[in-house]
Amino acid sequence: AVDDVKVERYTEWTEPKGPEISNEAYTIAENFTKNVGPFKGRGTATASVKEGAMYVSGRTANWHGVEVSLDKEKTIGRTLNVSFKVKYDDDAAGVVKSTLNTSGSAYAGVTSTELAKADEWVTVTGTMTVPTDAEYVTFYFEADSTTASFYIDDVVISTEEITDDMLTKPDDGDDNQGGAGEAQANTYTF
């Protein structure tokens, strides 16, 4: 005789879905005419506005620089287009990099540019796809030198194709706003 009967119902197994990828446009554009916007120091570095651009100083390690947190929900699984201008403050030649950090140990270089001369603006562009397993999305600037100070200007990070009208300096009557302005002496694409 059977006293206990257990009936179980099985459902068909379905593969788990990955994160939903947004189609919403996402752009950070900053020209640093008044403040450093959403950027902040990383490590010992400080970010300030100097000569109409973001000035990165106080660095004591090569990874010290400035960073900005990006919206994970709007960038995960998408390609980011990046454009910025950079120059060193002194005569130290070296490399300035932009990097994407998506978890405690996941770092991916977006751009790497060797600057041969101080006080010369260089335009840098690149692309990077944010991994679908990103825990967070932080974009930052660093340099190979542990102490060199540098300027960053006209930053655009976007899920859309970068256009000239995404970033314009406001006309506030000041003819000497500083910053990179229209400087396009050298352009590097990665």
Side-chain angles (χ1 to χ4, degrees):
V2 176
D3 291 342
D4 293 290
V5 176
K6 183 177 180 181
V7 177
E8 292 184 16
R9 183 175 188 185
Y10 290 95
T11 58
E12 188 175 313
W13 182 81
T14 57
E15 189 171 339
K17 293 181 180 180
E20 189 169 317
I21 297 176
S22 172
N23 288 323
E24 184 178 343
Y26 180 76
T27 299
I28 288 180
E30 190 60 58
N31 60 19
F32 310 111
T33 56
K34 304 284 185 213
N35 58 52
V36 297
F39 288 85
K40 65 180 182 179
R42 179 177 177 90
T44 63
T46 59
S48 59
V49 174
K50 184 176 177 183
E51 299 174 16
M54 180 170 56
Y55 183 61
V56 182
S57 60
R59 301 174 61 252
T60 58
N62 64 350
W63 62 272
H64 294 184
V66 291
E67 67 183 21
V68 61
S69 294
L70 306 181
D71 187 326
K72 175 183 157 185
E73 303 307 317
K74 293 179 183 175
T75 58
I76 196 166
R78 299 182 72 189
T79 298
L80 298 176
N81 298 295
V82 177
S83 176
F84 62 93
K85 295 179 177 122
V86 60
K87 73 174 180 174
Y88 265 116
D89 186 29
D90 53 34
D91 289 330
V95 175
V96 173
K97 303 176 190 178
S98 64
T99 303
L100 198 65
N101 179 212
T102 57
S103 73
S105 62
Y107 299 89
V110 179
T111 64
S112 180
T113 305
E114 183 156 355
L115 303 177
K117 292 174 30 179
D119 210 32
E120 181 178 287
W121 286 105
V122 175
T123 301
V124 183
T125 60
T127 60
M128 177 68 190
T129 300
V130 178
T132 56
D133 63 348
E135 296 173 19
Y136 50 83
V137 183
T138 302
F139 179 88
Y140 67 95
F141 295 102
E142 61 186 336
D144 280 355
S145 164
T146 59
T147 59
S149 298
F150 54 92
Y151 291 88
I152 299 286
D153 203 7
D154 298 343
V155 175
V156 179
I157 304 166
S158 183
T159 57
E160 304 296 306
E161 183 177 333
I162 295 176
T163 61
D164 290 340
D165 63 342
M166 285 182 161
L167 186 65
T168 56
K169 297 261 186 199
D171 183 8
D172 60 5
D174 181 3
D175 292 333
N176 186 17
Q177 293 181 27
E182 296 298 317
Q184 300 273 339
N186 296 301
T187 301
Y188 298 96
T189 302
F190 296 89

